[in-house]
């Protein structure tokens, strides 16, 4: 009775949808398990648009935990509206869920599945890195096999990518992005995080019909 909006983060997939069916006020999904994270997706799209000047026809790397990473799940769904070419870079046990790949096929979106981010680096407009999250793994041994498998730094990025390529990350990071990239022109992850303020303000205004 005290709230005009409820912003909900929950460890179970579908929790926000269930809450929305019974709550008398709008529910904003701030992440439901390993399913989706739509508010992060909107600030990601905004960050890409502000730097690239468009959301259309971009070449996009999604790197790291693509199986449990809810931020990349939401981003893939949204990108189907903008005719991207998507490169999925992950270990085999962390590849993008089949239902999202099927959605890309249904919408005739071009994509490739890779295990090494260096394979197509010179084509990429947006490099979206994610951390491999220990808490998502049902078996800790599987986590031990893949932790630290992807680390980007000046040595393996600079001079090998497009001049205007941007690096995004939903944060927090562990060791997958070296701090030596933080001051480069490619690093956009801190601005990306800052963009969450106006984007989430706009969301709240929208659901309040202001």
């Amino acid at each position: 009775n005290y709230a005009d909006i409820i912003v909900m983060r929950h460890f179970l997939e579908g929790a926000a949808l269930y809450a929305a069916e019974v709550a008398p006020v709008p529910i904003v999904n701030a992440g439901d398990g390993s399913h989706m994270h739509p508010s992060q997706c909107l600030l990601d799209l905004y960050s890409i648009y502000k730097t690239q000047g468009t959301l259309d026809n971009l070449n996009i790397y999604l790197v790291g935990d693509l199986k449990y990473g809810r931020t990349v799940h939401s981003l893939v769904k949204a990108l189907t509206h903008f005719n991207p070419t998507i490169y999925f870079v992950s270990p085999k046990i962390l590849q993008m869920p089949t239902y999202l790949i099927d959605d890309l096929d249904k919408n005739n979106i071009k994509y490739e599945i890779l295990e090494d981010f260096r394979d197509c680096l010179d084509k990429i407009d947006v490099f979206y890195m994610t951390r491999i999250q220990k808490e998502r793994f049902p078996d800790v041994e599987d986590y031990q096999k893949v932790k630290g498998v992807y680390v980007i730094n000046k040595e393996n990025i600079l001079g090998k990518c497009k001049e205007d390529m941007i690096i995004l990350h939903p944060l927090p990071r562990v060791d997958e992005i070296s701090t030596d990239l933080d001051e480069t022109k490619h690093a956009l992850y801190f601005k990306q995080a800052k963009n969450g303020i106006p984007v989430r303000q706009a969301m709240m205004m929208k659901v309040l019909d202001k």
Side-chain angles (χ1 to χ4, degrees):
N1 288 331
Y2 292 168
D4 296 305
I5 305 171
I6 296 172
V7 180
M8 182 178 186
R9 173 168 291 181
H10 203 282
F11 63 90
L12 290 178
E13 290 82 0
L17 177 62
Y18 176 73
E21 290 174 348
V22 297
V25 297
I27 299 286
V28 175
N29 182 4
D32 60 327
S34 58
H35 180 225
M36 292 285 169
H37 195 341
S39 64
Q40 177 73 41
C41 174
L42 288 175
L43 74 92
D44 292 342
L45 293 176
Y46 178 72
S47 300
I48 295 168
Y49 182 78
K50 289 286 283 185
T51 55
Q52 305 300 93
T54 184
L55 292 171
D56 295 310
N57 306 309
L58 296 174
N59 294 322
I60 298 179
Y61 258 176
L62 302 179
V63 182
D65 181 358
L66 307 185
K67 181 177 181 179
Y68 302 113
R70 59 193 175 199
T71 62
V72 290
H73 296 170
S74 287
L75 190 56
V76 165
K77 290 285 285 184
L79 287 172
T80 59
H81 298 283
F82 303 104
N83 192 40
T85 299
I86 304 175
Y87 298 87
F88 298 112
V89 185
S90 71
K92 287 182 179 179
I93 65 170
L94 293 178
Q95 288 181 353
M96 188 64 63
T98 303
Y99 77 93
L100 288 165
I101 296 294
D102 290 344
D103 195 48
L104 295 180
D105 290 333
K106 178 182 175 182
N107 287 281
N108 297 313
I109 302 297
K110 299 183 292 294
Y111 64 88
E112 290 187 32
I113 297 174
L114 309 170
E115 289 189 53
D116 193 329
F117 67 81
R118 293 167 293 190
D119 287 352
C120 300
L121 186 58
D122 59 336
K123 300 178 183 178
I124 299 303
D125 300 300
V126 179
F127 192 123
Y128 195 102
M129 177 63 89
T130 67
R131 67 188 172 99
I132 295 177
Q133 304 174 69
K134 183 178 181 180
E135 64 270 23
R136 299 283 179 215
F137 283 76
D139 187 341
V140 73
E141 287 188 8
D142 285 340
Y143 169 75
Q144 295 296 335
K145 292 175 187 175
V146 296
K147 72 172 184 177
V149 66
Y150 300 124
V151 176
I152 58 173
N153 52 43
K154 275 186 175 181
E155 182 179 356
N156 58 27
I157 291 292
L158 298 191
K160 298 164 186 171
C161 65
K162 294 174 68 172
E163 284 293 307
D164 61 348
M165 185 193 82
I166 59 171
I167 301 170
L168 299 179
H169 192 303
L171 300 179
R173 65 176 163 189
V174 183
D175 58 359
E176 60 277 0
I177 299 179
S178 172
T179 55
D180 68 6
L181 282 169
D182 290 355
E183 300 302 322
T184 68
K185 62 185 177 183
H186 302 292
L188 200 79
Y189 29 89
F190 297 133
K191 287 184 180 178
Q192 175 191 5
K194 186 175 181 180
N195 286 339
I197 298 172
V199 169
R200 289 182 169 113
Q201 287 173 330
M203 288 176 60
M204 290 183 183
M205 296 299 283
K206 180 72 174 176
V207 298
L208 289 171
D209 197 28
K210 299 293 185 180

